[in-house]
Amino acid sequence: MQLNQSHRFCTAPMMDWTDRHCRTFHRLMTRRGRLYTEMLTSGAILHGDRRRLLAFDRCEHPVALQLGGSDPRDLTIAARIGEDFGYDEINLNVGCPSDRVKEGRFGACLMAEPALVATGVAAMKAAVSIPVTVKCRIGIDDQDPETALDTLARAVVAAGADALIVHARKAWLDGLSPKENRDIPPLDYNRVYRLKASMPHVPIIINGGIASLAEARQHLAHVDGVMLGRAAYQDPWRLLTVDPELFGEAAPFTTMKDVFEAMLPYIERELAAGTRLHSITRHFVGAFHGVPGARAFRRHLAEHGVRPGAGPEVLKAAIALVGERAPHGPIPTFASLAGGTFANAGIKGPRENIGF
């Protein structure tokens, strides 16, 4: 059971963040990382505007579609539709702890129903030729993570799952909000390492609280891949070092300014198709953290990018406000930005089920 080495580094599916504009931006910084969509429910795909929900730029490959759902028939149809749209992987969400997904019988609550998850995986595997993977937690509520994770992992692997992506925290469906579930349950990376040791032939990707590529390299001594969420989104410049540091290959571009220059043709095409500039530039606010002029860059985008008719000249003017010096000192962590980059930019966070 082998997956493409792009699973060595992945960016997490994050609601309201990893849309097609974000993924195109991220792809310009790493050729090798695997990108994931926001979670889409099987019901939305079956009954909604499929082109609006599923369309993506061909430059995004390899890109995976994350599904939420539990009905094997619906998942099968949604997976087949995803394959027809050109996605490289179908990923089933068994980790999101929000009330909405609990009521809809998908997400983390499915940790309590491993047989049902396995049935869904088997149905999707029979329907598509691309990999089917599962993203889960180490357990929920009062479950023993040793038993819960092993039971789910072995069930879905027996059903044909090609890989497991494990967020190394429990999800507390009773007592914690989705936001609190991102940080309060303690991380248990060793539990994921033990899973890998017990299933050596199964690709295991670790997720949760990984704040830098230095940390990613440490995890790669124990598992097959790492998945970054908030660190990759809020400090996108980190992605410029993914290919050199994790794959031994040259980065697509050497500076963020080069990335934005390459992004302009995409922006121009999207604006011509009716997309508002802010829908794209909202993903750029962390691009120059630590560089002189970063605050002016963010402010200019916040003030001018939302105006009707805003065009590429807004981004060009914002970039012109940024100095040439690279950030000094250690790479900042997500925690260090809590009152900084995003607060100063006036940017709100994503919906509460980010990064599961």
Side-chain angles (χ1 to χ4, degrees):
M1 184 182 301
Q2 296 293 328
L3 286 181
N4 188 290
Q5 198 189 12
S6 64
H7 281 80
R8 183 172 171 83
F9 179 85
C10 311
T11 59
M14 292 178 282
M15 293 295 290
D16 284 344
W17 282 10
T18 52
D19 62 17
R20 60 192 178 90
H21 308 309
C22 171
R23 298 191 306 267
T24 297
F25 177 44
H26 286 179
R27 177 56 69 215
L28 289 174
M29 290 175 277
T30 169
R31 297 185 183 95
R32 298 298 303 273
R34 179 160 291 228
L35 309 178
Y36 283 73
T37 70
E38 306 169 88
M39 182 187 69
L40 295 172
T41 66
S42 56
I45 292 173
L46 267 60
H47 306 295
D49 183 343
R50 293 175 189 173
R51 180 164 185 79
R52 180 182 63 81
L53 293 170
L54 294 171
F56 64 94
D57 194 281
R58 62 185 179 182
C59 77
E60 294 178 38
H61 291 294
V63 58
L65 169 63
Q66 188 183 65
L67 295 179
S70 59
D71 181 271
R73 177 183 175 277
D74 289 352
L75 287 173
T76 297
I77 298 171
R80 190 179 295 121
I81 292 169
E83 182 179 40
D84 289 344
F85 265 81
Y87 285 95
D88 300 292
E89 172 190 333
I90 302 297
N91 176 259
L92 181 62
N93 185 320
V94 189
C96 181
S98 79
D99 294 338
R100 183 172 66 88
V101 299
K102 183 178 179 181
E103 293 168 1
R105 203 184 181 194
F106 59 92
C109 65
L110 292 176
M111 292 290 300
E113 300 188 75
L116 178 61
V117 177
T119 300
V121 168
M124 289 188 287
K125 281 293 293 182
V128 300
S129 59
I130 57 177
V132 174
T133 64
V134 173
K135 189 172 190 293
C136 65
R137 292 286 186 126
I138 61 173
I140 57 171
D141 298 330
D142 293 324
Q143 286 184 330
D144 177 359
E146 297 300 326
T147 302
L149 183 57
D150 269 354
T151 300
L152 179 80
R154 295 188 184 283
V156 299
V157 169
D162 293 285
L164 288 170
I165 303 166
V166 185
H167 186 150
R169 304 180 198 269
K170 266 191 172 185
W172 286 91
L173 304 182
D174 296 315
L176 292 180
S177 70
K179 181 179 179 181
E180 290 169 330
N181 264 302
R182 297 204 300 269
D183 299 303
I184 292 178
L187 286 159
D188 189 352
Y189 295 132
N190 286 327
R191 177 64 191 95
V192 185
Y193 299 164
R194 290 195 296 277
L195 177 69
K196 175 60 187 177
S198 70
M199 306 179 78
H201 302 298
V202 178
I204 303 294
I205 297 94
I206 198 166
N207 172 235
I210 303 169
S212 69
L213 291 191
E215 292 180 25
R217 286 195 299 272
Q218 293 174 0
H219 289 299
L220 288 170
H222 305 278
V223 293
D224 302 286
V226 293
M227 175 176 276
L228 263 67
R230 286 173 282 175
Y233 185 90
Q234 296 184 326
D235 296 325
W237 43 267
R238 295 179 189 276
L239 299 178
L240 284 170
T241 61
V242 166
D243 292 0
E245 293 194 21
L246 299 185
F247 295 94
E249 299 177 3
F253 299 97
T254 57
T255 71
M256 288 303 304
K257 289 191 175 183
D258 292 337
V259 171
F260 284 126
E261 185 69 25
M263 189 78 184
L264 284 171
Y266 173 84
I267 292 174
E268 290 167 354
R269 291 197 305 272
E270 284 296 316
L271 294 179
T275 302
R276 294 187 61 188
L277 181 67
H278 179 67
S279 297
I280 304 172
T281 58
R282 70 188 184 95
H283 300 299
F284 300 165
V285 294
F288 292 108
H289 181 77
V291 177
R295 182 174 297 184
F297 170 82
R298 297 191 300 270
R299 184 183 299 116
H300 191 86
L301 289 183
E303 292 177 0
H304 300 280
V306 298
R307 295 178 179 176
E313 69 282 353
V314 173
L315 177 59
K316 293 177 183 178
I319 294 170
L321 299 171
V322 179
E324 298 295 337
R325 180 173 61 82
H328 290 310
I331 293 175
T333 64
F334 171 73
S336 73
L337 300 179
T341 301
F342 279 71
N344 293 338
I347 303 297
K348 297 181 179 180
R351 290 208 297 266
E352 290 187 333
N353 54 339
I354 173 179
F356 297 102

